């Protein structure tokens, strides 16, 4: 595997340093993807509140979010995604994919898709990290490729954040004056943002699922070892999905979301106690922090989704 470090003389700890740099760059790309998702959802929910006079309090709450917290969120999430190992990140991606399919099938029962977009934040970061790890494995100049991807992702996240700030500040004024092309476009086509996000997330998680399966299977030396791992994993995830579907039918709200996060990570913790490694146990706790961090940061948007 060649990267920036392949051009330098072999020094003690140099390979570890470049591996850490690659992990941070992968985490940064994943964190930027989450930032773009939240910014676009913020734009969509704000426009929906503007068009509904009964939701003015929600509109003010969305617009009142501190813009300086966004760089902090990206920085912390980058560190968390860099610390999480590829094995646990792959398991998080597969668990969310199964949960997403179950939720989509139940949309006719009243489940709102916007909430699913917010609940996938950490899983999206893990999915992007897994996809990059798989696609760039063995690639020449891997670190250069990751640096380019991080730069492009950062620019996209920056423009998405500026769009959200522009909408929350000037959207109502501009749609009355009819002179801002961006706001007029959002007025006519803003309802298509969830459709855009759905297609983008479907493609991202399709690649991430393939990468996750490959990253997990490469640790097994025989088919028997793979069966001993996948069988309890499938049973555990199926029971978790059934439990969460029953819970969502009985109650909604922030308490339910945090409880399901703890139950999911607890189930993964118990599973990895039997078939995992000790590093996997540590990464489960890091993943729990990542999930809670994403949910705490998007609390206002989640409440807006629940009230729709």
């Amino acid at each position: 595997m060649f990267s920036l470090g392949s051009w330098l003389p072999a020094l003690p700890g140099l390979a570890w340093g470049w591996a850490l740099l690659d992990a941070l760059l992968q985490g940064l790309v994943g964190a930027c993807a989450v930032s773009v998702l939240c910014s676009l959802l913020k734009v969509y929910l704000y426009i929906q509140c503007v068009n509904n006079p009964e939701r003015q309090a929600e509109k003010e709450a969305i617009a009142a979010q501190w813009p300086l917290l966004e760089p902090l969120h990206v920085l912390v999430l980058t560190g968390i995604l860099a610390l999480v190992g590829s094995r646990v990140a792959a398991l998080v991606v597969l668990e969310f994919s199964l949960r997403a399919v179950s939720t989509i099938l139940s949309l006719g029962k009243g489940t709102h898709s916007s909430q699913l977009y917010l609940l996938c934040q950490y899983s999206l970061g893990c999915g992007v990290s897994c996809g990059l790890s798989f696609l760039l494995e063995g690639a020449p100049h891997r670190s250069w490729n990751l640096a380019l991807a991080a730069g492009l992702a950062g620019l996209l996240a920056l423009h998405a954040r500026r769009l959200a700030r522009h909408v929350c500040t000037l959207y109502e004024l501009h749609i009355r004056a009819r002179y801002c092309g961006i706001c007029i476009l959002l007025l006519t086509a803003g309802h298509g943002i969830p459709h855009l996000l759905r297609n983008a997330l479907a493609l991202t998680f399709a690649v991430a699922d393939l990468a996750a399966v490959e990253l997990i299977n490469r640790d097994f030396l025989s088919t028997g070892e793979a069966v001993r791992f996948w069988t309890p994993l499938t049973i555990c995830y199926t029971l978790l999905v059934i439990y969460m579907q029953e819970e969502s039918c009985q109650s909604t709200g922030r308490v339910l979301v945090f409880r399901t996060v703890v139950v999911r990570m607890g189930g993964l913790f118990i599973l990895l106690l039997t078939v995992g490694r000790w590093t996997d146990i540590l990464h489960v706790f890091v993943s729990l922090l990542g999930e809670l961090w994403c949910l705490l940061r998007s609390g206002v948007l989640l409440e807006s989704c629940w009230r729709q």
Side-chain angles (χ1 to χ4, degrees), residues 87-88 91 216 219-220 225 228-230 232-233 267-284:
R87 185 182 178 98
V88 173
L91 292 175
I216 293 175
D219 293 333
F220 303 127
E225 290 183 8
R228 285 194 296 271
F229 179 84
W230 285 107
L233 176 68
L268 186 59
F269 174 79
I270 294 174
L271 174 68
L272 292 177
L273 278 178
T274 58
V275 296
R277 298 186 288 260
W278 71 268
T279 53
D280 295 334
I281 306 302
L282 176 62
H283 294 157
V284 169

Side-chain angles (χ1 to χ4, degrees), residues 241-300:
V241 169
I242 294 174
Y243 167 79
M244 285 183 287
Q245 287 295 328
E246 293 179 350
E247 285 289 310
S248 63
C249 293
Q250 296 175 2
S251 60
T252 58
R254 182 173 299 185
V255 176
L256 172 64
V257 171
F258 285 103
R259 184 165 66 239
T260 54
V261 168
V262 174
V263 170
R264 284 167 40 223
M265 290 303 165
L268 186 59
F269 174 79
I270 294 174
L271 174 68
L272 292 177
L273 278 178
T274 58
V275 296
R277 298 186 288 260
W278 71 268
T279 53
D280 295 334
I281 306 302
L282 176 62
H283 294 157
V284 169
F285 287 107
V286 176
S287 294
L288 177 61
L289 293 177
E291 289 273 12
L292 295 177
W293 176 259
C294 291
L295 292 177
L296 287 172
R297 183 254 178 187
S298 58
V300 174

